[in-house]
Amino acid sequence: MRSQQTIRLLFAGMFLAVFSTAVWGQNGDLSGNKRISSAYLGYDLQYRVYTPHGVESMQGLPTIYLTDGQGYIRSGGMKRILNKEIKAGRIKPVIAVFIDARDPDNLYTNRRNSQFFCNRDYLKFFVGELVPKISVEYPVSLSQQDRVIMGLSFGGLNAACFGLMAPSTFGGIAMQSPAIHPVPMLRDLYASEETRPIKIFFSTGRVNDNLSVSRDFKQILENKGYDLLYKEVNAGHTWRNWKPLLDDVLQHFFPAEP
């Protein structure tokens, strides 16, 4: 009797292991380039979308939008990190939208310097065109608390801009080495205006990465009472700084349910 019970438990364990691998152990999908025409910007943009495995049966998923999305895919390895964090149960399933800053008809033309400096038309593109399109085509949460905008360098500046300009759309901003200098009054605006209902991830490097400016901005955010996670790393303004922190970003905004 005991041997039969042991055999049944063994087979049950084997089945559970195979079932777990088949259902929970599979990777998510990264779409090919999708094209969207913006009336606000007057030109087309392209983007790619990561969806977790089993998305067809899900609803109310959080969303992270990444400017310089092509860099986060290629240099940041964000798809692999999303798969790893979701499969390990450290974060909720999440949809990631990677927005390409380049002209889809001429990839040598990068528009980030015109898009990322608190550009109101770029904001209107997100709020009035891209976010509504994603909300219709994917099973995402419509709550601003479940929507994050992320970027690095000038993209980090853009995230800071969106934090002030669109808190009703984005409940979270992730800034990696934000290059604040093109919009120097931004820190003063954060200091003088009312605190927005947003959650913030903010990282910078200690090597040639505007450390003093970042520490000053961090102090402003803390003084205003923002929900802030701040990190400094011993690296410069490169992917050696940004890539190792991507799992921290995801865990900060999308922790798995207990």
Side-chain angles (χ1 to χ4, degrees):
M1 179 71 69
R2 187 172 299 173
S3 62
Q4 291 179 348
Q5 189 175 32
T6 301
I7 291 172
R8 285 198 296 270
L9 288 172
L10 178 62
F11 274 107
M14 291 171 61
F15 172 79
L16 197 56
V18 172
F19 183 77
S20 297
T21 301
V23 176
W24 295 296
Q26 294 190 25
N27 291 329
D29 179 63
L30 181 63
S31 75
N33 283 315
K34 297 175 178 287
R35 197 174 181 109
I36 180 171
S37 181
S38 172
Y40 293 111
L41 292 168
Y43 53 72
D44 288 1
L45 302 93
Q46 66 182 12
Y47 63 95
R48 301 176 70 181
V49 181
Y50 169 89
T51 50
H53 175 69
V55 67
E56 299 84 2
S57 61
M58 299 176 181
Q59 58 183 355
L61 296 179
T63 317
I64 184 167
Y65 291 78
L66 301 100
T67 54
D68 285 321
Q70 70 281 3
Y72 277 104
I73 293 171
R74 183 181 63 252
S75 301
M78 192 65 156
K79 178 186 176 183
R80 181 189 64 79
I81 294 169
L82 283 160
N83 285 332
K84 179 188 70 172
E85 293 299 306
I86 292 172
K87 288 194 292 184
R90 288 187 286 266
I91 67 170
K92 305 171 185 176
V94 59
I95 286 177
V97 183
F98 300 89
I99 303 92
D100 196 331
R102 302 168 300 177
D103 180 349
D105 295 317
N106 181 7
L107 298 181
Y108 292 103
T109 300
N110 198 317
R111 296 162 167 159
R112 67 198 306 272
N113 286 9
S114 64
Q115 292 174 345
F116 293 171
F117 298 170
C118 291
N119 184 327
R120 291 192 176 276
D121 289 333
Y122 193 57
L123 175 69
K124 291 175 183 177
F125 157 67
F126 268 86
V127 174
E129 295 172 333
L130 181 60
V131 170
K133 184 174 178 64
I134 296 298
S135 299
V136 168
E137 296 181 354
Y138 295 91
V140 299
S141 168
L142 301 182
S143 169
Q144 54 86 222
Q145 294 179 338
D146 292 325
R147 202 179 290 124
V148 175
I149 180 73
M150 179 176 183
L152 57 89
S153 191
F154 287 156
L157 165 61
N158 178 78
C161 297
F162 279 23
L164 283 181
M165 298 162 71
S168 61
T169 299
F170 293 100
I173 65 171
M175 305 178 288
Q176 293 192 285
S177 302
I180 303 295
H181 56 274
V183 190
M185 75 284 293
L186 190 66
R187 286 180 296 164
D188 294 335
L189 290 173
Y190 266 96
S192 62
E193 295 195 6
E194 63 180 27
T195 301
R196 305 299 200 262
I198 57 175
K199 188 174 184 179
I200 301 175
F201 179 95
F202 182 1
S203 68
T204 191
R206 297 193 183 100
V207 183
N208 299 321
D209 200 22
N210 297 315
L211 181 59
S212 62
V213 173
S214 292
R215 286 177 173 174
D216 178 63
F217 191 20
K218 164 188 174 281
Q219 191 62 56
I220 290 171
L221 296 173
E222 288 180 339
N223 292 343
K224 294 294 289 187
Y226 277 100
D227 181 354
L228 170 69
L229 175 61
Y230 176 82
K231 288 182 176 289
E232 292 181 7
V233 297
N234 290 317
H237 202 76
T238 70
W239 282 103
R240 290 184 61 188
N241 168 350
W242 307 317
K243 184 175 181 178
L245 295 175
L246 296 182
D247 53 354
D248 295 272
V249 175
L250 295 172
Q251 292 170 27
H252 181 58
F253 290 108
F254 313 115
E257 299 292 343

